[in-house]
Amino acid sequence: MAPGRPLPPPPPVIWAIALIFIAFELAFQMGDAGVMFGEGLRLEVYYIGAFWDLYFEAWREGQAVPLEFWTSFVTHGLLHGSMVHLVMNGVIFLALGGMLANVLGTVRFLVLFAVTAAAGGLVFALIADTRGPLVGASGAIFGFFGILKAWECRYLLRHGGSWRRFWGTIIGLIAINVVLFYVLPGGGQLAWEAHLGGFIAGFALGPVLGRGISGPSPV
């Protein structure tokens, strides 16, 4: 897209995924409040859709794991831990996700979302040591940053120019994780491992999903 032109609105795939985010969290909120569904709904869905490091460790030890362990590498990205968590991820998802979905198309965008979410879950499992669930789209969102940085890197290597924005974004993302780690209660609520995995996967997917795409990053 040429600089200066208004961005097109997010395509249907973005709104569809965003509605899934919202539907789950609204149901959880009503369940938590005892209005509908029952107070245990959030945990019941987490057992099926969230990513659990406990299952990963059991699998590594050769124990049998349920089918939902494998699907949770992706489905954890559709669930959130609170309305604040949803809003924070949702705003960035609509902005960056909408931009990328317009460039990549529906199928390649879904591949990007699934692979970066799964990579986030994998790196979380390899590094984190927790009994709690991993939920949230932030692993995939960091994958969005990763693929944008990959395209920017390709552009700079081909055409030259200042690397200030490239490294500024990297440092900024690291700083955000460090700050949130110390601000959030206990620090453990920030799955920085998933962020790292998502970013690496997104960067690696840059030349695969966006063959020939390069240009200055908008972030």
Side-chain angles (χ1 to χ4, degrees):
M1 176 174 294
R5 291 187 181 180
L7 291 175
V13 64
I14 294 298
W15 293 113
I17 295 174
L19 285 174
I20 294 173
F21 294 166
I22 295 169
F24 273 122
E25 188 55 38
L26 285 178
F28 295 158
Q29 291 289 327
M30 288 188 286
D32 294 344
V35 177
M36 290 179 65
F37 307 116
E39 295 182 10
L41 176 67
R42 184 184 294 271
L43 189 56
E44 289 176 8
V45 176
Y46 279 8
Y47 278 137
I48 299 172
F51 183 86
W52 296 85
D53 185 50
L54 289 172
Y55 283 145
F56 182 80
E57 296 302 328
W59 172 75
R60 289 211 295 186
E61 294 173 4
Q63 301 177 30
V65 293
L67 176 62
E68 53 263 30
F69 163 68
W70 301 105
T71 57
S72 70
F73 276 94
V74 175
T75 57
H76 79 270
L78 302 174
L79 310 174
H80 289 85
S82 67
M83 190 60 72
V84 172
H85 189 201
L86 168 63
V87 171
M88 289 175 61
N89 279 346
V91 170
I92 305 174
F93 178 83
L94 288 173
L96 291 187
M99 181 191 314
L100 287 168
N102 278 314
V103 172
L104 295 172
T106 298
V107 173
R108 285 187 295 168
F109 176 79
L110 289 174
V111 170
L112 174 66
F113 181 85
V115 172
T116 53
L122 178 60
V123 174
F124 177 81
L126 291 172
I127 299 177
D129 182 16
T130 176
R131 301 181 67 86
L134 170 67
V135 294
S138 54
I141 287 171
F142 270 76
F144 298 168
F145 283 106
I147 197 170
L148 287 170
K149 291 293 113 177
W151 294 341
E152 181 180 27
C153 181
R154 175 188 288 173
Y155 177 84
L156 291 171
L157 290 173
R158 287 179 175 176
H159 305 286
S162 174
W163 289 76
R164 181 176 300 176
R165 172 173 287 184
F166 179 89
W167 291 113
T169 302
I170 304 296
I171 294 171
L173 293 175
I174 294 173
I176 289 171
N177 278 270
V178 171
V179 170
L180 290 179
F181 181 84
Y182 287 103
V183 168
L184 293 175
Q189 294 185 27
L190 177 73
W192 63 267
E193 303 91 343
H195 300 169
L196 175 63
F199 183 90
I200 292 172
F203 195 92
L205 284 172
V208 178
L209 295 181
R211 189 170 300 162
I213 297 177
S214 67
S217 174
V219 291

